[in-house]
Amino acid sequence: MQSQTETLTVGATARRLGIAAPTLRSWERRYGLRPSARSTGGHRRYSLEDLARLRAMLRMVNEGVPTAEAASVVRDRVYAPAASTVISTTSVADTQVVTRPLAQPRPKVRREPARPADLFALANAMDSERLTHEVARSLDRAGAVESWTNRLAPLLVDVGDQWETTGACVEVEHLASDAVAAGLRYHTRRAVERFRPDESERAVVLACLEREDHALPLLALAAALAERSVRVRTLGAATPVSSLSAAVRRIRPAAVFIWSSAPATADLSALKVLARTRPPYALVVGGPGWESMGRPHGWVGTLEEAVDALMLAVRP
């Protein structure tokens, strides 16, 4: 048995909570959930009260409360660990916490039933199965455009910012990207089965040029078009212009969409040599890479704009 004045390192606290250590640092930076102690060397140390507070927050998040809201509820409350608590960096479930405040009633939190889970928290908890499920559920409920715009793209931005800020958590970024890709592909298959594209209409080709490896926006666009019964041929990332031209000649699409995430992957000269067909097709480009090139003709800035432009080409 150890004193309640004992403290835990960041790593030990993360293991007790079942989350990644950088998540604790992110919560400290984003929500002010700072550890209450420091070691003699100045390193962060979490008390049992800190641990109880974080456990309470995680329970709220698992119940569907957004992470920021849960953090605001627990941040200024007083928590007391059970007297029998033992500190051990090898045990995961030996801490009991009292989540009632010592001097004031617990504030009521307005909770909507079945509120969507916090995707960023799931990614940092490395819960790939639940994250993929939540991505698919979001797409099913809101559709590809709304889900991508309001939940999936912000998730990818958040995990990317976390990696750039901390220099770590690349595994979280990979897990999040894989979960989003899996959810989008599953949603697209279901949309094709449900809405059955019109085989008499010309298809839409989606591609990136050969230096572009980030093709998730193409999957989001494919899902949105499948919801609208549009035939889609997705060539994906890193497609040489010669291969794209060959595909265009064979498919003879109604439109071609090319995504670029950065200036280095946007090639205006490739657009000029891209094969032309009869009947002609609409050329639409999107992404920050093309925006940096002065927004060439056919540029769109959002997923919704891309869908509108391509729909106009397919069904004028």
Side-chain angles (χ1 to χ4, degrees):
M1 198 73 64
Q2 302 213 6
S3 167
Q4 292 181 14
T5 61
E6 295 287 343
T7 57
L8 293 167
T9 64
V10 173
T13 302
R15 286 192 294 273
R16 297 285 284 270
L17 295 171
I19 63 176
T23 301
L24 288 175
R25 300 186 182 96
S26 175
W27 288 352
E28 178 181 352
R29 185 178 68 253
R30 287 168 177 257
Y31 311 123
L33 294 174
R34 300 176 180 83
S36 59
R38 293 273 178 174
S39 69
T40 54
H43 299 291
R44 295 177 178 84
R45 292 291 185 268
Y46 288 83
S47 68
L48 297 183
E49 181 183 330
D50 295 333
L51 185 64
R53 177 178 293 105
L54 293 170
R55 283 188 184 279
M57 174 180 167
L58 280 176
R59 279 196 295 273
M60 294 175 66
V61 169
N62 289 335
E63 291 171 1
V65 179
T67 305
E69 183 178 337
S72 68
V73 171
V74 305
R75 186 169 49 238
D76 298 322
R77 290 176 53 208
V78 178
Y79 289 80
S84 60
T85 298
V86 176
I87 291 184
S88 169
T89 58
T90 60
S91 175
V92 178
D94 62 352
T95 300
Q96 296 180 349
V97 299
V98 177
T99 58
R100 298 185 183 87
L102 297 182
Q104 57 184 359
R106 180 173 180 171
K108 294 182 179 180
V109 180
R110 293 180 60 188
R111 298 178 188 172
E112 299 175 4
R115 176 174 286 178
D118 188 307
L119 301 184
F120 185 75
L122 291 176
N124 276 287
M126 301 296 287
D127 192 344
S128 59
E129 183 175 347
R130 188 176 173 199
L131 179 59
T132 303
H133 171 76
E134 288 295 336
V135 168
R137 186 166 71 167
S138 177
L139 289 162
D140 187 54
R141 288 182 173 181
V145 171
E146 182 177 341
S147 184
W148 173 263
T149 303
N150 297 327
R151 299 199 72 198
L152 306 186
L155 166 66
L156 298 172
V157 170
D158 283 347
V159 296
D161 288 347
Q162 179 175 256
W163 174 74
E164 290 182 359
T165 301
T166 64
C169 298
V170 66
E171 72 282 0
V172 175
E173 185 178 24
H174 289 175
L175 181 142
S177 296
D178 288 347
V180 170
L184 286 168
R185 289 191 177 101
Y186 175 73
H187 183 75
T188 300
R189 289 195 299 271
R190 290 191 61 187
V192 169
E193 293 171 359
R194 179 179 178 184
F195 299 109
R196 298 191 179 280
D198 186 345
E199 295 298 326
S200 67
E201 291 182 337
R202 296 160 68 197
V204 171
V205 171
L206 311 179
C208 301
L209 295 179
E210 57 186 325
R211 288 190 297 242
E212 179 61 73
D213 295 322
H214 299 89
L216 278 177
L218 295 186
L219 299 183
L221 183 52
L225 293 172
E227 293 172 348
R228 292 157 177 79
S229 303
V230 174
R231 297 171 61 215
V232 176
R233 300 294 180 264
T234 304
L235 304 184
T239 304
V241 67
S242 58
S243 299
L244 178 55
S245 289
V248 166
R249 292 190 191 97
R250 294 175 62 184
I251 297 170
R252 297 190 178 277
V256 174
F257 177 86
I258 303 176
W259 166 263
S260 170
S261 65
T265 68
D267 186 354
L268 289 173
S269 62
L271 302 184
K272 297 176 181 178
V273 301
L274 190 61
R276 298 294 185 258
T277 62
R278 291 186 179 278
Y281 58 84
L283 180 59
V284 182
V285 297
W290 297 114
E291 184 176 17
S292 69
M293 295 292 177
R295 302 184 181 185
H297 178 72
W299 181 83
V300 293
T302 66
L303 178 59
E304 186 174 14
E305 290 175 357
V307 171
D308 289 344
L310 295 172
M311 289 298 298
L312 183 62
V314 174
R315 298 166 191 161

